[in-house]
Amino acid sequence: MENKVISGIQACLIPSRKFKTNSICISFIAPLSEKDASYNALLCNVLRRGSAAYPSLTDLNIRLEELYGANLFTQIRKKGDFQLVTLGVEFLDNSLALSGEDLFSEAAELLFGLILEPHLPGGCFDPAYVESEKTNLIDYINAKINDKRAYAVSRCFELMCAGEPFGLDEHGKTGIVSAIDPCSLFEHYKAFVSRTPMVVCCVGRYDENVLSKKLSRFKSGARGGVPVARPEKKRPSSVREFTDIMEVEQAKLSMGFRSSVTCADGADSVAALSLFNAVFGGSPHSKLFENVRERLSLCYYCASRPERFKGAMIVYSGVEDKNIALAREEILRQLERIQKGDISDGELDAAVKTQVNAYKSALDSPASMEDFYVSQLIAGDSSTIEEMAKRVAAVTKERISEVARGMVLDTVYVLRGAKGGEGA
């Protein structure tokens, strides 16, 4: 993997010959705010609808078929207090082209054309496209509540981080989306594309000369480099508790913690955080799974997830109403065990194997490699996937306990039905 600046733009180049396809992803990295997140998410979807050269989805799909079934994709991600707006293309390697076509150059031209030469009838975005994508985006945001497990996690973070960018929905707010019109979106687009820090990531086989020519079309002077996350470490003075009542058969218990470890603490600390999570609740061999779920049967599921770009951790579980207090108590008891150094050799070995295998698996997925290395840029960390696997394997029990002692409960959120009950 190589990080370099090409034509003034940060590039992450990941050479590989193990895949039949290659990919190019362009990610804009913007500070999270309700207004800009709404505009950016909608803009991403509208740009995907067509370019000056291929103004409709029909035109685009015909062109994609000509490129041996290439795939265009978009993605909105949240990394701490940043929103990542990504447009990408996956396409067949040049060596497999039947007539010797330069598929890298042609796929790059298609992708860059969507971003830099959008379809602009009348000087603004197509009203039909904007209205269609507004409806789709609003429906998507509203539909998040239907996945109660994911909703309970996001709601806990929303309450825990109220007033902080991380507490916002990375897809924006429906009220703001509904008020956007084609011309206001176009005005936003012009500033967004010319000023927002960005990174281009290529996985597979690529032509750096072609990439340089394409990137030179961006105005790079006003955008600055990729921002590096420096999360504030917050320590709550008391535990805040919230409850929502909905029509659910199974209660959801989410517990938000503030962590003393963030991405700014360096690769060794991140590795320790990762291994702590595997021991605590991030693997099938974790204390939460083995004890809270299996041995005591207090939860239908119980797991933990750290947020290294925020200095936070979430424990999420599905429980019966009658077991909410017991599950909460047992979750904290398992954390206390780790804080006191109660980690067996078997637990440590299983956690190391889980995390090392996760890193190895990332090498088999272009999307996982792209996400890892773009995340590393934002973290200001140059460690490779292989190096992080070695760092994880070197973490000691003492370091895991130290990370655990830095976890402080901040927010408890319960989503339950009016009458309680059981369910999956």
Side-chain angles (χ1 to χ4, degrees):
M1 191 280 301
E2 182 179 12
N3 286 322
K4 57 172 35 179
V5 176
I6 301 176
S7 298
I9 304 296
Q10 180 68 54
C12 180
L13 307 177
I14 309 170
S16 175
R17 292 183 176 273
K18 68 191 301 183
F19 307 112
K20 293 181 180 179
T21 59
N22 306 314
S23 65
I24 307 171
C25 294
I26 297 175
S27 294
F28 296 89
I29 305 168
L32 261 172
S33 71
E34 274 191 349
K35 180 180 179 181
D36 285 347
S38 304
Y39 271 83
N40 294 344
L42 179 61
L43 175 62
C44 185
N45 294 339
V46 170
L47 290 176
R48 171 63 179 81
R49 290 291 295 267
S51 65
Y54 307 101
S56 72
L57 282 176
T58 299
D59 297 323
L60 269 178
N61 288 332
I62 290 173
R63 181 57 179 149
L64 291 170
E65 285 303 311
E66 292 173 347
L67 296 176
Y68 298 90
N71 176 46
L72 280 171
F73 56 89
T74 60
Q75 187 179 24
I76 302 294
R77 290 172 283 182
K78 178 162 60 176
K79 303 285 184 183
D81 292 341
F82 295 111
Q83 178 196 40
L84 272 64
V85 180
T86 301
L87 294 94
V89 60
E90 184 179 15
F91 52 94
L92 199 66
D93 186 71
N94 283 354
S95 64
L96 300 175
L98 297 177
S99 302
E101 301 98 321
D102 184 355
L103 297 179
F104 181 87
S105 180
E106 294 186 37
E109 180 61 29
L110 179 64
L111 176 63
F112 281 72
L114 286 170
I115 299 172
L116 293 170
E117 298 172 358
H119 175 50
L120 300 173
C124 287
F125 286 113
D126 191 316
Y129 292 178
V130 172
E131 287 305 311
S132 174
E133 294 305 329
K134 282 170 60 175
T135 299
N136 291 339
L137 181 56
I138 290 170
D139 288 346
Y140 180 82
I141 295 171
N142 288 333
K144 289 186 178 185
I145 199 171
N146 295 329
D147 183 345
K148 296 300 190 292
R149 181 187 300 201
Y151 173 79
V153 170
S154 63
R155 178 68 172 146
C156 183
F157 276 137
E158 176 188 3
L159 294 166
M160 174 176 162
C161 301
E164 303 172 44
F166 185 73
L168 301 174
D169 188 329
E170 64 270 30
H171 289 89
K173 192 172 183 179
T174 58
I176 297 175
V177 173
S178 64
I180 299 174
D181 61 67
C183 288
S184 66
L185 185 63
F186 180 59
E187 290 302 312
H188 178 84
Y189 157 82
K190 289 188 289 185
F192 177 81
V193 170
S194 63
R195 299 175 187 173
T196 308
M198 59 181 286
V199 56
V200 58
C201 184
C202 296
V203 181
R205 286 183 270 193
Y206 50 83
D207 187 325
E208 193 171 319
N209 290 327
V210 170
L211 190 63
S212 179
K213 291 178 181 178
K214 304 299 182 187
L215 287 172
S216 66
R217 295 160 61 185
F218 281 96
K219 296 178 182 178
S220 58
R223 76 177 68 251
V226 172
V228 176
R230 289 293 179 261
E232 179 184 359
K233 295 181 182 180
K234 294 194 172 184
R235 313 307 284 171
S237 57
S238 60
V239 178
R240 296 172 294 165
E241 304 196 23
F242 303 89
T243 299
D244 282 340
I245 306 297
M246 293 185 186
E247 292 185 6
V248 293
E249 294 183 347
Q250 178 195 106
K252 313 296 178 186
L253 169 65
S254 297
M255 301 170 67
F257 294 78
R258 297 286 183 172
S259 170
S260 63
V261 176
T262 74
C263 60
D265 293 310
D268 287 336
S269 292
V270 170
L273 175 65
S274 174
L275 200 57
F276 154 74
N277 183 62
V279 171
F280 182 46
S283 77
H285 307 286
S286 67
K287 287 188 180 294
L288 293 186
F289 186 89
E290 294 283 1
N291 294 283
V292 185
R293 184 185 186 278
E294 294 294 294
R295 182 172 62 83
L296 298 173
S297 299
L298 292 175
C299 302
Y300 296 99
Y301 62 87
C302 188
S304 62
R305 187 184 80 209
E307 293 286 346
R308 63 171 171 142
F309 290 102
K310 185 58 187 174
M313 179 184 71
I314 190 85
V315 174
Y316 53 100
S317 57
V319 302
E320 296 180 30
D321 270 30
K322 65 181 182 181
N323 289 331
I324 291 174
L326 290 173
R328 171 177 170 172
E329 181 181 347
E330 190 60 33
I331 289 167
L332 293 175
R333 181 178 292 115
Q334 296 304 320
L335 177 60
E336 184 179 9
R337 288 179 62 190
I338 301 176
Q339 291 170 338
K340 293 179 177 179
D342 182 3
I343 306 168
S344 70
D345 290 341
E347 287 174 323
L348 179 62
D349 183 62
V352 168
K353 287 180 179 178
T354 296
Q355 293 307 104
V356 170
N357 286 337
Y359 281 120
K360 288 181 178 178
S361 297
L363 294 169
D364 296 325
S365 167
S368 295
M369 286 195 286
E370 183 271 341
D371 185 70
F372 176 85
Y373 284 114
V374 171
S375 296
Q376 290 294 86
L377 284 173
I378 298 172
D381 184 357
S382 61
S383 301
T384 65
I385 292 176
E386 295 87 349
E387 289 169 345
M388 286 304 299
K390 291 179 180 178
R391 291 180 190 277
V392 163
V395 175
T396 64
K397 293 181 185 179
E398 292 74 18
R399 186 69 181 99
I400 293 173
S401 295
E402 184 182 349
V403 172
R405 289 192 291 272
M407 295 292 174
V408 180
L409 184 62
D410 182 302
T411 301
V412 176
Y413 171 73
V414 176
L415 173 63
R416 64 178 182 85
K419 297 180 180 180
E422 302 180 12

